[in-house]
Amino acid sequence: MYRTYKEEIERKMAGEKKAEYNFLGKTGMKVSNICLGTMTFGYNDEGPMGVFFGNPRQSSEADAHKILDRYVELGGNFLDTANMYCSGKSEEIIGTWLEKKKNRDDIIIATKVRFPTADFTTLNDVGLSRRHIIKSCEDSLKRLQTDYIDLYQAHMWDNATPIEETLRAFDDLVKSGKIRYYGFCNLCGWQMQKIVETTKKLNLNPCVSLQQQYNLLRRDSELEAFMVCENEGICVLPWSPLKGGMLTGKFKRDQKPDATGSRAGYMHAKREEGKNTSESNWEEFGSNENYWKLIAAMEKIAKANGKTVPQVALRWLLQKEVVSSVIIGCTSIQQLEDNMGASGGWEISPEGMKELDEAAPLSKPYPYDMLWGFASSGRMNRFNRSNKV
Ligand SMILES: NC(=O)c1ccc[n+]([C@@H]2O[C@H](COP(=O)([O-])OP(=O)(O)OC[C@H]3O[C@@H](n4cnc5c(N)ncnc54)[C@H](OP(=O)(O)O)[C@@H]3O)[C@@H](O)[C@H]2O)c1
């Protein structure tokens, strides 16, 4: 990969075995291309999210601090959290670590607003109203023990609030210095486009990023939302890049993962107990022939490159032009080190990328089959990026 002289110097100064850095979309701010997701920091088995955050594989504060230390040692500078992760405990754990390390200026912090933090019965502690956004921002600042958030993200669209109200609130927070940038998560194409058009119409600070589930088993956003991102210089920050562990190659066919050894096993066991879990990836993929074919293709590419299966899954995302940083999750230092090994110093060949794309095909229901398929193939113009898929 070509690097400018300045980038080469930055890299040397950063030392050996360090992460690569990218601009966060079209902003002038650089982030490590591996962002550390902190949804697994803290334990809380109470309330409506108790099934999820009561997973015994959640990290204690001490273990989370060790993961944060090692992540920074490996060159990472970008943390992702949310007000609702473990009822605010994830933010608190980051806050105590920043206070201990006194390294706030070196770290880029992303957090989120939209869902209730703890009490799901409080009338206005939800949504993307001006009131909830500003209150939630102030609460996050306290938990994070900082006076600014680098990237403040709406966790999902809110059908109850006009988008103008939401965008003006984010713009005011940028102007007041409480946040540096804002982004959105979990959008479909028309919502992303509407955000772009509204900020232009109202002359507001732009949305800079879209955090979306994106991995070899979930490519749907390529059909629309990512096209808007490419056209507008909004970067994609993929979440669940390993599909909650399913893209690691650690599960064996016909061998149900045990409830304590992995999140996939835990979630599946909870589902079998009749609990309403947000995911059960084993249920969805464990008996799917195409899933096992994909794992075999990943194993082959991993072997050819002297890398691991998780590294191949992460690298595939990093080589997508629209991605600035991939948000990893980990439950141990070993997993962290493995995942950071995807950051740089090697690439999947174009043939390898093609093989992976074909092993994880993007299904194109109507009208996408016409729009991005045979009917437009004779009308490609490289200056018009919306023709890309
Ligand atoms: N915006 C949103 O709506 C949203 C939603 C979800 C997540 N996120 C963000 O995305 C981050 C990552 O999501 P995720 O945790 O679902 O990511 P993921 O990468 O798909 O899954 C991470 C899990 O896979 C397993 N794992 C990770 N690395 C491994 C390795 N090298 N070898 C074997 N197993 C490995 C670990 O679970 P086990 O050890 O238990 O198997 C780990 O907790 C979150 O922390 C959060 O910041 C955002």
Side-chain angles (χ1 to χ4, degrees), residues 271-288:
R271 182 66 69 101
E272 285 186 326
E273 283 170 25
K275 299 265 165 54
N276 183 14
T277 59
S278 62
E279 62 180 33
S280 179
N281 289 322
W282 181 257
E283 194 172 293
E284 187 174 355
F285 299 110
S287 54
N288 180 332

Side-chain angles (χ1 to χ4, degrees), residues 81-351:
T81 181
N83 62 340
M84 57 88 68
Y85 288 170
C86 211
S87 309
K89 285 201 174 72
S90 168
E91 287 184 332
E92 279 167 13
I93 288 172
I94 294 172
T96 53
W97 178 76
L98 291 171
E99 173 53 22
K100 197 161 63 181
K101 296 284 159 182
K102 309 268 178 260
N103 59 352
R104 175 66 187 92
D105 284 350
D106 302 331
I107 306 295
I108 308 296
I109 297 178
T111 189
K112 310 186 192 87
V113 52
R114 160 69 175 85
F115 296 110
T117 304
D119 181 357
F120 276 61
T121 60
T122 307
L123 197 61
N124 277 309
D125 181 29
V126 66
L128 294 176
S129 67
R130 166 177 285 275
R131 187 180 194 277
H132 185 230
I133 289 176
I134 292 174
K135 167 84 168 67
S136 189
C137 178
E138 279 161 2
D139 292 346
S140 287
L141 288 171
K142 278 187 212 130
R143 285 190 291 267
L144 288 162
Q145 302 195 40
T146 181
D147 50 15
Y148 67 97
I149 291 161
D150 295 283
L151 178 65
Y152 201 37
Q153 303 159 109
H155 214 147
M156 200 181 76
W157 187 263
D158 178 16
N159 277 322
T161 308
I163 191 65
E164 289 81 0
E165 175 176 337
T166 299
L167 293 170
R168 283 191 200 278
F170 280 137
D171 185 65
D172 287 345
L173 286 173
V174 173
K175 287 177 181 146
S176 70
K178 289 192 177 175
I179 68 172
R180 298 292 184 255
Y181 302 99
Y182 71 91
F184 273 74
C185 307
N186 303 310
L187 297 180
C188 60
W190 70 262
Q191 293 167 338
M192 188 75 260
Q193 190 67 50
K194 187 158 176 130
I195 287 163
V196 168
E197 301 308 330
T198 309
T199 50
K200 285 183 186 167
K201 189 177 75 190
L202 302 179
N203 199 21
L204 304 176
N205 277 293
C207 163
V208 304
S209 59
L210 174 62
Q211 186 180 136
Q212 200 87 334
Q213 185 180 153
Y214 185 32
N215 55 54
L216 276 159
L217 292 165
R218 276 283 177 279
R219 298 181 57 191
D220 321 61
S221 300
E222 287 178 23
L223 289 174
E224 282 211 15
F226 293 177
M227 286 193 185
V228 184
C229 293
E230 287 186 350
N231 290 335
E232 303 293 335
I234 295 169
C235 68
V236 170
L237 304 172
W239 64 260
S240 275
L242 302 179
K243 194 64 188 146
M246 293 303 288
L247 291 169
T248 58
K250 68 182 173 182
F251 300 114
K252 301 288 161 250
R253 200 194 275 253
D254 301 326
Q255 222 174 292
K256 189 168 73 170
D258 81 90
T260 54
S262 64
R263 183 159 100 213
Y266 169 84
M267 288 298 177
H268 188 61
K270 289 287 160 195
R271 182 66 69 101
E272 285 186 326
E273 283 170 25
K275 299 265 165 54
N276 183 14
T277 59
S278 62
E279 62 180 33
S280 179
N281 289 322
W282 181 257
E283 194 172 293
E284 187 174 355
F285 299 110
S287 54
N288 180 332
E289 190 55 34
N290 289 335
Y291 165 74
W292 294 107
K293 280 190 191 148
L294 170 63
I295 295 294
M298 294 172 78
E299 281 167 349
K300 189 180 133 212
I301 289 167
K303 197 162 170 221
N305 286 279
K307 300 289 170 189
T308 65
V309 173
Q311 287 170 348
V312 168
L314 299 172
R315 194 70 225 165
W316 177 81
L317 287 166
L318 285 167
Q319 287 178 216
K320 299 286 176 184
E321 219 174 292
V322 75
V323 170
S324 277
S325 187
V326 172
I327 311 175
I328 59 161
C330 58
T331 51
S332 67
I333 299 276
Q334 200 188 357
Q335 287 181 359
L336 171 74
E337 289 174 347
D338 186 10
N339 297 345
M340 292 298 283
S343 178
W346 68 288
E347 296 219 326
I348 300 174
S349 67
E351 298 74 35

Side-chain angles (χ1 to χ4, degrees), residues 13-131:
M13 277 167 62
E16 288 302 306
K17 212 183 159 205
K18 295 289 180 173
E20 303 266 347
Y21 302 91
N22 284 327
F23 287 106
L24 184 78
K26 64 181 173 191
T27 77
M29 182 176 76
K30 278 200 168 177
V31 293
S32 50
N33 66 358
I34 306 274
C35 170
L36 180 62
T38 63
M39 185 176 72
T40 45
F41 287 4
Y43 176 88
N44 184 0
D45 61 359
E46 289 170 6
M49 293 304 289
V51 175
F52 199 81
F53 295 112
N55 178 351
R57 296 181 72 73
Q58 290 283 118
S59 299
S60 67
E61 179 169 30
D63 286 345
H65 283 188
K66 282 183 201 146
I67 289 173
L68 285 163
D69 287 347
R70 186 69 184 128
Y71 170 71
V72 168
E73 255 170 39
L74 294 170
N77 75 343
F78 190 16
L79 306 180
D80 180 66
T81 181
N83 62 340
M84 57 88 68
Y85 288 170
C86 211
S87 309
K89 285 201 174 72
S90 168
E91 287 184 332
E92 279 167 13
I93 288 172
I94 294 172
T96 53
W97 178 76
L98 291 171
E99 173 53 22
K100 197 161 63 181
K101 296 284 159 182
K102 309 268 178 260
N103 59 352
R104 175 66 187 92
D105 284 350
D106 302 331
I107 306 295
I108 308 296
I109 297 178
T111 189
K112 310 186 192 87
V113 52
R114 160 69 175 85
F115 296 110
T117 304
D119 181 357
F120 276 61
T121 60
T122 307
L123 197 61
N124 277 309
D125 181 29
V126 66
L128 294 176
S129 67
R130 166 177 285 275
R131 187 180 194 277

